[in-house]
Amino acid sequence: MTIQEAARRSGLSAHTLRYYERIGLIHSVGRNSSGHRDYAEEDLRWLEFLTRLRTTGMPIAEMCRYAELRRRGPHTADERRELLESHRERVSSRIAQLTQDLKVLDYKIDNYREGRQS
Amino acid sequence: MTIQEAARRSGLSAHTLRYYERIGLIHSVGRNSSGHRDYAEEDLRWLEFLTRLRTTGMPIAEMCRYAELRRRGPHTADERRELLESHRERVSSRIAQLTQDLKVLDYKIDNYREGRQS
DNA sequence: GTCACCCTTCGAGTGCGCTCCAAGTCAAAT
DNA sequence: ATTTGACTTGGAGCGCACTCGAAGGGTGAC
């Protein structure tokens, strides 16, 4: 599929797709006879996972590290798992923190609702 | 209290405190006889709240808007409440999204633990 | 008094994650 | 044959939220 289709389906811009490829996040997207990118379904699944890492706050550099491990083959599986586990902890803490913050916001809003300046 | 003390207690850097004041997030911190900033307890409470807005992802521009409404006085309370309510929704959605993402991460990690490449 | 040190302002610089531009290629439509 | 439009690359630019540097001033210890 073309870069525009891949952009539409992944929710990323074509600019971003090229950028991701340039920095090594996506490896060797196929090209058609005229040198244009030709994305496969597997590329889209990988993009979807990358996007999930991004939206959960993983820095690009760390995503690159994960991508590189993946390219190196099955013997890097332990290292990849560890990377995901430590990210998992970050996400989990973030949820806990946001839940706390939400309570404070609710308290503030309640004060406003009851006409107390806060 | 000095800017260094305020920095230590707020967890922000002295640079950031000056920056926040410059862009109008903090209004008129007192000065001592030599022109140095002299933070009051109330400033710290305000900084704590600002920090909570920041860590929950409110853009600086919106925080400035809130700060300005606050300076304008009690008749802006409704508008401030609305601003907080809409932010509250953002935070709430973010928590829901992260909770979803956490499940996917757990699924991935489980796959790795059971030796499936994923 | 002079040294060290923290403060002041203003403006420039940084890092991240894109986002866009210029110059050129290619394929299909007219 | 030419126009249109999407694609290619490499590199420059941008927005955000800081972060730092330069130049100068005040205060306290020796």
Side-chain angles (χ1 to χ4, degrees), chain A residues 23-27 46 49-50 53 58 60-87, chain B residues 108 112 117-118:
Chain A
I23 65 176
L25 268 184
I26 321 169
H27 193 48
W46 173 236
F49 182 60
L50 284 181
L53 294 182
M58 183 182 284
I60 293 272
E62 202 164 322
M63 288 165 60
C64 287
R65 174 133 176 281
Y66 186 89
E68 203 205 328
L69 289 173
R70 188 163 170 270
R71 275 199 296 282
R72 285 214 212 127
H75 69 283
T76 65
D78 275 5
E79 209 170 333
R80 276 180 274 159
R81 180 183 42 73
E82 281 162 24
L83 200 151
L84 289 189
E85 279 170 353
S86 99
H87 183 56
Chain B
K108 274 293 243 200
Y112 274 118
Q117 286 299 316
S118 62

Side-chain angles (χ1 to χ4, degrees), chain A residues 43-56:
Chain A
D43 294 326
L44 274 197
R45 284 192 295 276
W46 173 236
L47 279 172
E48 188 187 346
F49 182 60
L50 284 181
T51 300
R52 205 174 289 273
L53 294 182
R54 272 301 299 133
T55 62
T56 50

Side-chain angles (χ1 to χ4, degrees), chain B residues 47-64:
Chain B
L47 279 172
E48 188 186 348
F49 182 59
L50 285 181
T51 300
R52 205 174 290 273
L53 294 181
R54 272 301 298 133
T55 63
T56 49
M58 182 181 284
I60 294 272
E62 202 165 322
M63 288 165 60
C64 286

